[in-house]
Amino acid sequence: MMKQLILLGAPGSGKGTQAAKIVEDFGYKHVSTGDLLRKEIASGSELGKRVKAIMDSGNLVDDVTVLELLKNNCNVHKNAYIFDGYPRNIDQAKELESKILKGVSQQVIYFDVDLEKLVERIVNRRSCKSCGEIYNVINNPSRIVDVCDRCGGQLLQRDDDKKSVVKNRIEVFKNTIFPVRDYYNRAGVLKIVDAGKGVAEIFTEISDLLK
Ligand SMILES: [Zn+2]
């Protein structure tokens, strides 16, 4: 029986790329709570109607509802899943274990990125007001400062890419994900991969874990 797989990592850590490769090569089913929510709504079920009402009101879907959705859609005795972007916090991690995984064989992979570098990469990002082209003032600057190469539009920094906002976002990530990582480390199922390595190299490391 294949291990259930949980991928943890900051946005931009490359876990999405690896998830796609694992699905292709190992036959895992990819679980994204966002997709499950959309599918449930489309099905018109009672749960779907409840989810739609929550989302239409602009609220985040609560943990209990997300868990119900996972329970309805995941049979861990029949399929191997990649949980991607879930659990997001320690409460969800405990619930996932007690309500869904219940001691089945599992592997958790944390994609380790240098969070300081991640902050730098995001704060140096600029995007064109007119065509949306993305630049980076350090790695990928426009030929003329603040002017789009493609359309001549003005380059702007998004409000949520400003340093104080980004630092806060990373701080929140650390405070919620590090306890999750420690939880799986204590359970002896955690593997940390260096997300700075190449895609192929990381995939080889992951493949070895799954064999
Ligand atoms: Zn442009």
Side-chain angles (χ1 to χ4, degrees), residues 128 130-133 148 150-153:
C128 175
S130 312
C131 75
E133 186 81 348
C148 179
R150 222 169 87 182
C151 76

Side-chain angles (χ1 to χ4, degrees), residues 126 135-137 140-156:
R126 299 289 181 275
Y135 297 87
N136 182 294
V137 293
N140 177 30
S142 55
R143 284 193 302 267
I144 304 165
V145 176
D146 294 340
V147 177
C148 179
D149 290 349
R150 222 169 87 182
C151 76
Q154 190 191 357
L155 302 187
L156 295 172

Side-chain angles (χ1 to χ4, degrees), residues 15-203:
K15 67 183 165 61
T17 306
Q18 296 296 331
K21 289 174 78 70
I22 298 164
V23 167
E24 208 181 297
D25 279 30
F26 289 89
Y28 273 79
K29 291 183 187 297
H30 185 247
V31 179
S32 139
T33 53
D35 287 348
L36 288 183
L37 290 167
R38 280 185 290 275
K39 258 188 234 157
E40 194 70 34
I41 293 172
S43 80
S45 69
E46 278 311 307
L47 178 59
K49 283 177 193 155
R50 236 165 63 210
V51 168
K52 186 174 188 309
I54 296 169
M55 288 172 80
D56 284 350
S57 69
N59 289 313
L60 278 177
V61 180
D62 56 283
D63 283 1
V64 175
T65 306
V66 172
L67 198 72
E68 193 178 337
L69 204 60
L70 288 171
K71 262 180 97 165
N72 292 350
N73 287 281
C74 301
N75 180 346
V76 296
H77 299 291
K78 212 176 131 206
N79 301 305
Y81 297 96
I82 301 177
F83 295 90
D84 180 7
Y86 187 94
R88 281 185 197 281
N89 58 51
I90 186 70
D91 292 335
Q92 289 181 351
K94 288 177 178 168
E95 291 282 291
L96 180 66
E97 180 54 39
S98 67
K99 304 272 168 52
I100 294 172
L101 296 179
K102 299 178 182 172
V104 296
S105 172
Q106 53 194 277
Q107 177 68 56
V108 180
I109 300 173
Y110 177 78
F111 289 75
D112 192 27
V113 282
D114 183 334
L115 294 175
E116 287 304 316
K117 273 194 197 151
L118 192 63
V119 170
E120 287 311 309
R121 200 163 77 210
I122 298 170
V123 299
N124 288 319
R125 192 157 61 185
R126 299 289 181 275
S127 62
C128 175
K129 204 173 138 184
S130 312
C131 75
E133 186 81 348
I134 308 280
Y135 297 87
N136 182 294
V137 293
I138 309 290
N139 303 330
N140 177 30
S142 55
R143 284 193 302 267
I144 304 165
V145 176
D146 294 340
V147 177
C148 179
D149 290 349
R150 222 169 87 182
C151 76
Q154 190 191 357
L155 302 187
L156 295 172
Q157 183 177 39
R158 278 172 29 187
D159 282 341
D160 56 356
D161 283 352
K162 298 211 163 119
K163 193 151 193 170
S164 60
V165 179
V166 174
K167 285 204 115 152
N168 184 51
R169 219 156 68 203
I170 296 290
E171 210 46 45
V172 169
F173 170 78
K174 273 200 234 174
N175 291 337
T176 55
I177 288 300
F178 284 13
V180 174
R181 206 179 63 175
D182 293 344
Y183 171 78
Y184 288 121
N185 191 29
R186 280 196 301 276
V189 294
L190 177 73
K191 163 80 176 173
I192 295 176
V193 301
D194 176 0
K197 288 182 181 169
V199 171
E201 198 177 345
I202 295 173
F203 188 61

